[in-house]
Amino acid sequence: MKEFNIIEDFFKAKSIQRKDVIIGIGDDAAVTRIPQGQALVTTTDTLISGVHFLADTAPHAIAQKAMAVNLSDLAAMGAEPAWISLSLSLPEVDESWLESFSEGLREHAIYYSVQLIGGDTVQGPLVITITAQGFVPFEQALTRSQAKPGDSVYVTGTLGDAGLGLQIAQKKCVLDVQLNKDYLLNRLNYPTPRLLVGTSIRRIASACIDVSDGLVSDIKHILKASECGATIHVDKLPMSQALKESVSSTQAIDYALSAGDDYELLFTVSEEQKGHLETTLASANVHATYIGQLNGCVGKLELRQADKPYEYNLKGYEHF
Ligand code: ADP
Ligand code: MG
């Protein structure tokens, strides 16, 4: 099978059609239309076999994760996704692999109304790079830099699940309860981008980031960019039943603090906007948990448990 046929059969034929795409797959470049009054938001993420996913991960999951991690970055900016392009490096042409991968991509494209508008296909180690683009109304993008001392810190969903999921996938941890095992593996392989939360908190949150490397690592980006410090109450960290039932409470807290790959949103809200946040989240039928407060001790993250300092020295995932 030639490069042209791979693109035709697995990507062009399966792509959805959005009205704002003038030229999609098939020409030298894609041509698209940006709505009036909106800014274009662009992000890229690469997934490397053996680094970002285990080599035996189902291709369907790899495709959906590659897309979800990019959409999660758009969510963190308060953007609504529109288009993706896909750069695919494949060791060989394995049609059943491509079938499952492209089906995973197509399902997400339909669900999120995102059109695949182009890409590149090359031979090499298994590497998937997706660039996602979306829109946010002018001057409403959520950033890392506008948080203020006194703001409250919130996080969506639950933390630590993907971290334990990875231990299970790597067979470093064995669980007896099949339901918990399935749930945690699913959280690792099929992260959910919190797009509805991101767009809902556009004019409410003072700062926002997605938790990809772990809470402790990622909150520090906000602290640095916004020149703040934070106190986080580890007893308030949202954790799933599956995580809590599977490991000790100390281990669960450590997963929630340091494990990456959850793709929840962490955001800050001023005192004046808290009421607005509550009504907005309730009307969108989404949930976020209050976990702590910002202060003026620039760059300092203080963890507390039952009003005592919490001893902690793990770090989030770092490549270098
Ligand atoms: P060129 O050599 O001009 O870059 P390619 O042969 O790489 O053209 O690509 C032809 C068309 O197919 C382009 O529109 C490109 O964006 C698209 N394309 C290539 N690979 C992919 C892919 N993996 N997914 C989606 N579109 C792709
Ligand atoms: Mg090319």
Side-chain angles (χ1 to χ4, degrees), residues 3 7 11 24-29 86-88 116-121:
E3 182 192 333
I7 299 165
F11 299 114
I25 295 172
D27 217 306
D28 289 313
L86 166 71
S87 172
L88 197 54
L116 177 62
I117 56 170
D120 201 14
T121 308

Side-chain angles (χ1 to χ4, degrees), residues 138-170:
F138 279 138
E139 296 181 9
Q140 287 185 26
L142 297 166
T143 65
R144 300 175 177 187
S145 61
Q146 299 301 309
K148 301 275 180 299
D151 289 358
S152 298
V153 182
Y154 291 83
V155 69
T156 61
T158 56
L159 295 172
D161 296 330
L164 183 55
L166 179 62
Q167 299 292 308
I168 298 166
Q170 291 176 321

